[in-house]
Amino acid sequence: MAAKQCVYPPTQEEPSDVYPPPQSSSDVYPPPTSKIQALFARGTDPEIIRAFEAYDEDGNGSIDDEELQKALSTADLSYSIRTVRLLMFKFNNINCTRIGPKEFTTLWHDLQAWRSIFEKFDRDRSGTIDNMELRDALRQLGCAVPQPVLQLLLTKYDRTGEDIGIDYDSFIECGLIVKGLTQKFKEKDKRRTGTATLTYEEFMLTVLPFIVA
Ligand SMILES: [Ca+2]
Ligand SMILES: [Ca+2]
């Protein structure tokens, strides 16, 4: 193998289609300060790369749960550390409180999807999700949740305690848990009957990661 083609990160002599492009011009953005850019898949939206670099406050090349929580939260919208950890939970093949560029790209798209589901099903534009809106949103996620379960979710996630509905942060948490647990249950319901047999150990191992996220 020609040694030149294995050089990492690419140098100015590399062909012009290497990513990131050789930064010969001072107006290239993002500025030529980070090797992080090279770790993203080719064609990644530059906005995602810029966000990663901004979120990675300590500059260690990964985003931890606290960095993500701080970066996502704005004056109008706060994310609980629990929601942030649940968002990271899907990457549980690695340390799920720390993600790199690849996982961050997936998470970025996940957040866009959550936002669009929330906006689609908050039909009255109240900024919260009520009973019927939740039912339909969960159905879109593939979960036909029975009414008593819906009521329990609303009771638990309506933080106001005044039947106003579920806010955006809680909606993501609720959706991640319902979708995740439904998926786990489905894996045990091989014949798709709506019934499954789980041992005590399986039940505990399934449910606990969602509770202690
Ligand atoms: Ca970091
Ligand atoms: Ca609403």
Side-chain angles (χ1 to χ4, degrees), residues 71-120:
L72 290 178
S73 299
T74 62
D76 302 323
L77 179 62
S78 66
Y79 283 76
S80 70
I81 195 74
R82 181 166 163 72
T83 300
V84 167
R85 286 178 184 158
L86 281 165
L87 281 164
M88 292 172 140
F89 177 49
K90 72 187 283 182
F91 310 112
N92 60 2
N93 55 334
I94 58 165
N95 182 341
C96 69
T97 57
R98 202 169 62 234
I99 54 173
K102 183 164 161 269
E103 295 80 22
F104 181 76
T105 303
T106 303
L107 190 141
W108 182 272
H109 292 302
D110 287 351
L111 280 171
Q112 286 182 329
W114 283 113
R115 172 51 80 184
S116 78
I117 290 174
F118 186 87
E119 287 177 357
K120 178 178 173 187

Side-chain angles (χ1 to χ4, degrees), residues 34-46:
S34 173
K35 292 174 185 169
I36 294 293
Q37 295 160 44
L39 299 176
F40 281 88
R42 203 164 156 179
T44 300
D45 183 347

Side-chain angles (χ1 to χ4, degrees), residues 122-130 133:
D122 179 22
R123 286 185 285 256
D124 61 358
R125 297 284 175 270
S126 64
T128 57
I129 296 288
D130 66 24
E133 291 169 346

